[in-house]
């Protein structure tokens, strides 16, 4: 009898271990299979993708290239404010990119690593560079972002919810973000940004609205994706060639 129980227990352990290996292999394949993304595509999908994990992937991509990049932070703020409605950065209900990020940050559903991705993006948007003063172009935008988040989007209420997360990392990052919104420019979480080994696409172009993502040619009159209008192509051949990559980020909710 004891031998039977031992054999059963061993079989269960092997089964659980095998399932774990399958999940790990699937996760690695999923991470490796993510196609590159451009900044406009990331902004579009971050606002409109149905899947929360896909929105988190976009948040990680933006976080990975934003540090010190004035143009990227400026685009995030512009899209959030609806300055380019033709590119779909604002939803029919009026929410922009950062509003969606705050909603995702305060949601207790979904993976903690995804919630952390939204916290990381907001921390990057509010990262004041102490080696420069307030007149630095990056720091000016950071202060603008902090004011916009606090006053226009009432971000403190969303961040306060995230501070009660079951994830210690999310709680700590939300706390640091809350301190920044209250004026503490030196607030930093112990864990750095993007330290979680989660899915993140590479960034292929800063602006595919004026640059073909296939050959990187820049020109005014590009053939735009008719669905999102965030990617332009120098020719029909390149548009067709890029369909498998672009369709991953172009899917949206109406």
């Amino acid at each position: 009898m004891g031998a039977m129980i031992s054999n059963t227990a061993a079989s269960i352990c092997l089964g659980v271990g095998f399932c774990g290996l399958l999940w790990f292999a699937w996760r690695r394949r999923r991470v490796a299979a993510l196609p590159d993304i451009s900044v406009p595509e990331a902004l579009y999908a971050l606002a409109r993708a149905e899947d929360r994990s896909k929105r988190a992937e976009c948040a990680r991509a933006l976080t990975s290239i934003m540090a010190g990049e004035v143009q990227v932070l400026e685009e995030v703020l512009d899209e959030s404010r609806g300055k380019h409605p033709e590119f779909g950065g604002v939803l029919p209900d009026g929410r922009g990119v950062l509003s969606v990020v705050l909603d995702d940050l305060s949601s207790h559903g979904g993976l903690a690593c995804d919630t952390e991705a939204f916290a990381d993006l907001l921390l990057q948007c509010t990262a004041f560079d102490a080696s420069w003063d307030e007149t630095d172009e990056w720091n000016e935008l950071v202060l603008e972002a902090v004011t916009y988040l606090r006053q226009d989007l009432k971000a403190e209420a969303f961040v306060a919810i995230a501070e009660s997360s079951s994830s210690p990392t999310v709680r700590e990052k939300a706390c640091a973000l809350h301190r920044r919104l209250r004026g503490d420019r030196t607030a930093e979480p112990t864990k750095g940004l993007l330290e979680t080994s989660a899915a993140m696409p590479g960034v292929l172009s800063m602006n595919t609205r004026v640059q073909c993502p296939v050959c990187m040619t820049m020109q005014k009159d590009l053939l735009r994706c008719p669905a999102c209008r965030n990617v332009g192509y120098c020719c029909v051949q390149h548009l067709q060639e890029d369909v498998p990559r672009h369709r991953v980020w172009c899917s949206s909710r109406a």
Side-chain angles (χ1 to χ4, degrees):
M1 183 68 176
M4 289 179 63
I5 294 174
S6 297
N7 289 337
T8 302
S11 297
I12 292 172
C13 289
L14 285 172
V16 171
F18 181 67
C19 289
L21 287 173
L22 284 177
W23 181 90
F24 181 71
W26 172 85
R27 183 71 176 178
R28 283 178 60 87
R29 184 167 64 252
R30 182 170 180 264
V31 172
L34 279 177
D36 289 346
I37 192 171
S38 68
V39 170
E41 287 172 313
L43 291 169
Y44 179 84
L46 182 55
R48 291 181 170 266
E50 289 279 8
D51 182 58
R52 185 174 186 263
S53 289
K54 181 177 284 189
R55 296 196 297 274
E57 291 162 3
C58 295
R60 293 186 192 103
L62 289 170
T63 301
S64 71
I65 61 163
M66 187 185 292
E69 290 290 345
V70 172
Q71 179 186 349
V72 180
L73 179 53
E74 192 170 36
E75 281 297 316
V76 170
L77 289 172
D78 284 350
E79 290 297 313
S80 190
R81 290 166 169 159
K83 288 192 175 182
H84 306 296
E86 68 274 22
F87 297 125
V90 175
L91 298 174
D93 61 11
R95 289 182 302 148
V97 171
L98 290 178
S99 293
V100 173
V101 171
L102 287 169
D103 283 339
D104 279 326
L105 175 69
S106 61
S107 171
H108 286 309
L111 299 173
C113 63
D114 288 343
T115 305
E116 187 179 343
F118 302 119
D120 283 349
L121 178 58
L122 292 167
L123 284 167
Q124 191 69 281
C125 290
T126 57
F128 189 89
D129 187 347
S131 60
W132 301 90
D133 61 21
E134 293 183 2
T135 62
D136 173 69
E137 193 174 5
W138 168 261
N139 283 342
E140 284 183 344
L141 271 180
V142 165
L143 295 177
E144 184 180 330
V146 169
T147 301
Y148 175 67
L149 285 165
R150 187 180 67 249
Q151 295 183 1
D152 294 65
L153 300 185
K154 312 301 180 186
E156 286 186 82
F158 297 90
V159 175
I161 295 173
E163 286 179 301
S164 65
S165 168
S166 59
S167 165
T169 301
V170 171
R171 289 200 304 270
E172 185 192 9
K173 289 189 173 183
C175 182
L177 179 59
H178 210 161
R179 287 168 56 195
R180 288 185 185 180
L181 293 175
R182 291 177 173 176
D184 184 354
R185 298 174 182 175
T186 64
E188 292 287 349
T190 303
K191 186 176 181 180
L193 306 186
L194 299 178
E195 287 189 8
T196 302
S197 56
M200 182 175 70
V203 180
L204 63 84
S205 171
M206 295 290 277
N207 195 352
T208 46
R209 292 171 186 164
V210 295
Q211 184 177 38
C212 175
V214 177
C215 64
M216 298 301 166
T217 297
M218 298 189 72
Q219 62 186 62
K220 288 184 179 180
D221 300 320
L222 293 171
L223 298 171
R224 294 193 179 278
C225 166
C228 71
R229 299 191 58 77
N230 279 281
V231 181
Y233 301 91
C234 63
C235 62
V236 174
Q237 180 183 345
H238 284 180
L239 185 152
Q240 295 172 339
E241 184 179 330
D242 195 45
V243 166
R245 182 203 66 81
H246 178 58
R247 68 155 55 107
V248 174
W249 308 115
C250 188
S251 58
S252 65
R253 54 190 172 197

